[in-house]
Amino acid sequence: MNILKFRMLLLIERYKKATIVAEQLGMKQPTVSFHMKKMEEEWGIKLFEYKAGKIILTEAGRLVHHYAQRIVAGSDEAMARVRQMKRYGRGSLVIGCTDTALDALPDPPWLTLAASREEPLYHVRTGEHEALMDMLDEGRLDLLLTAQGEPESSRYQMQTILESPLALFVSESHPLVYADGQLGGVHLTAYPYLMLEDRSVAEAMMVWEAEQGLSLQPQLYADRCALLIDSLRRSQGIAILPEAAVAKETPGLRRLPLPGRAPLWRLQVLVPKQHWNLPLLGQTVERLRQG
């Protein structure tokens, strides 16, 4: 079944009318009906049924639709990247990056793009680990920067490119800045805890809390360090973040040592073992490690 038929299947599911599908594809309605019949012949099973004047996918049709989404998305992605290669005369990579990883990268390679036309053309996609992992599995990402630990699939290699201890962050006028004596974990429970909504940080925090024999109760969740930093400046809250994710000279903010043994937060890069341009992928990973 060619890509046109897969695309047609997606449109049938969306619009449920052969006339509208025909308009979207720039063809006549009988042509759509002809291809629908051919699809059922190719698969050897009924894919469509009519109910109240609408075309509804059968169970088999929904199964094919599930894979058609990936096939069409992959085809569109390939066409877009080939067009870019023709236009710019250089290869490109699509990099997935969790929000915390993006904050922690000291010198990502895509920052050099403005200085040199010899560099690859980078596309950076940010989001939550699970969504980015799905994109990597589907081939829509070339590599993924995350801190979520070992991948479930053996299709990928993982390399640690950065290690950073967790640290305590407060406003520069916070009472803890002026506290006498050594800071203990119990002192932190007196203040609102602003938590970074990042699974890798949460897992490291669970280890630290167990060692300290306490449990901090979050009063605010945020998925970006910048949001927490802005909230810290305006309150007497506390946040525990990877040191690397916060610039050393951040106005209005103070970094304090975390009581006890500060757990390490590790930033890793996941790369597929098989790739269309392994040399370019390896070059990018090496530059990330050196950065």
Side-chain angles (χ1 to χ4, degrees):
M1 197 159 96
N2 61 34
I3 193 68
L4 173 62
K5 292 177 182 176
F6 282 120
R7 197 178 299 277
M8 184 180 294
L9 185 69
L10 298 185
L11 292 173
I12 290 171
E13 167 62 14
R14 177 184 298 179
Y15 296 110
K16 297 178 173 52
K17 292 280 188 179
T19 51
I20 300 177
V21 172
E23 290 174 3
Q24 293 292 315
L25 294 174
M27 58 179 60
K28 296 181 179 180
Q29 185 270 328
T31 305
V32 172
S33 299
F34 171 79
H35 283 301
M36 290 172 61
K37 183 178 180 180
K38 284 296 183 182
M39 278 189 266
E40 292 185 324
E41 290 177 358
E42 288 181 41
W43 289 96
I45 194 170
K46 190 172 181 61
L47 302 176
F48 313 101
E49 56 187 359
Y50 291 86
K51 291 184 178 179
K54 295 182 179 180
I55 306 173
I56 306 298
L57 297 185
T58 64
E59 183 177 1
R62 292 194 299 273
L63 176 61
V64 177
H65 178 272
H66 171 74
Y67 290 98
Q69 289 177 299
R70 299 185 183 184
I71 292 169
V72 171
S75 174
D76 290 346
E77 181 82 14
M79 290 178 64
R81 294 180 70 170
V82 168
R83 283 196 296 267
Q84 287 179 341
M85 186 175 288
K86 289 171 63 177
R87 179 178 179 182
Y88 297 107
R90 51 180 165 158
S92 65
L93 287 180
V94 184
I95 299 175
C97 193
T98 63
D99 291 327
T100 309
L102 188 63
D103 289 330
L105 281 173
D107 187 20
W110 52 82
L111 294 181
T112 63
L113 284 177
S116 173
R117 293 184 179 274
E118 302 301 320
E119 299 291 338
L121 190 62
Y122 290 106
H123 304 263
V124 182
R125 305 282 187 264
T126 61
E128 296 183 358
H129 171 84
E130 288 76 12
L132 293 172
M133 196 68 219
D134 287 342
M135 293 175 66
L136 187 65
D137 288 339
E138 294 167 4
R140 292 187 287 142
L141 294 180
D142 295 302
L143 60 86
L144 173 59
L145 290 162
T146 183
Q148 302 294 340
E150 292 284 348
E152 295 180 1
S153 174
S154 60
R155 295 164 50 194
Y156 306 109
Q157 293 178 332
M158 184 183 74
Q159 298 182 43
T160 298
I161 61 173
L162 183 149
E163 290 186 339
S164 175
L166 296 187
L168 175 64
F169 291 90
V170 298
S171 70
E172 59 185 6
S173 60
H174 197 282
L176 290 177
V177 174
Y178 308 100
D180 294 328
Q182 187 174 6
L183 194 63
V186 68
H187 294 100
L188 307 188
T189 60
Y191 301 98
Y193 175 40
L194 315 183
M195 184 173 182
L196 182 65
E197 207 165 9
D198 181 290
R199 194 177 75 186
S200 61
V201 174
E203 289 174 352
M205 279 296 299
M206 288 176 62
V207 174
W208 178 81
E209 287 178 322
E211 292 178 350
Q212 292 292 310
L214 57 84
S215 177
L216 297 178
Q217 300 302 315
Q219 296 191 21
L220 172 69
Y221 289 93
D223 60 0
R224 289 298 303 268
C225 290
L227 296 176
L228 289 181
I229 290 170
D230 187 58
S231 298
L232 288 175
R233 291 194 186 105
R234 303 163 184 260
S235 70
Q236 290 195 349
I238 63 171
I240 299 174
L241 307 169
E243 282 191 0
V246 182
K248 290 183 178 180
E249 302 298 331
T250 302
L253 201 68
R254 289 289 294 272
R255 177 189 285 111
L256 301 176
L258 195 63
R261 183 179 63 87
L264 282 178
W265 178 84
R266 292 178 174 86
L267 177 59
Q268 293 136 348
V269 57
L270 291 182
V271 294
K273 294 178 180 178
Q274 295 184 341
H275 189 264
W276 63 274
N277 194 335
L278 286 173
L280 179 58
L281 194 62
Q283 170 191 334
T284 301
V285 171
E286 185 59 29
R287 294 191 60 182
L288 285 166
R289 288 171 59 87
Q290 293 175 355

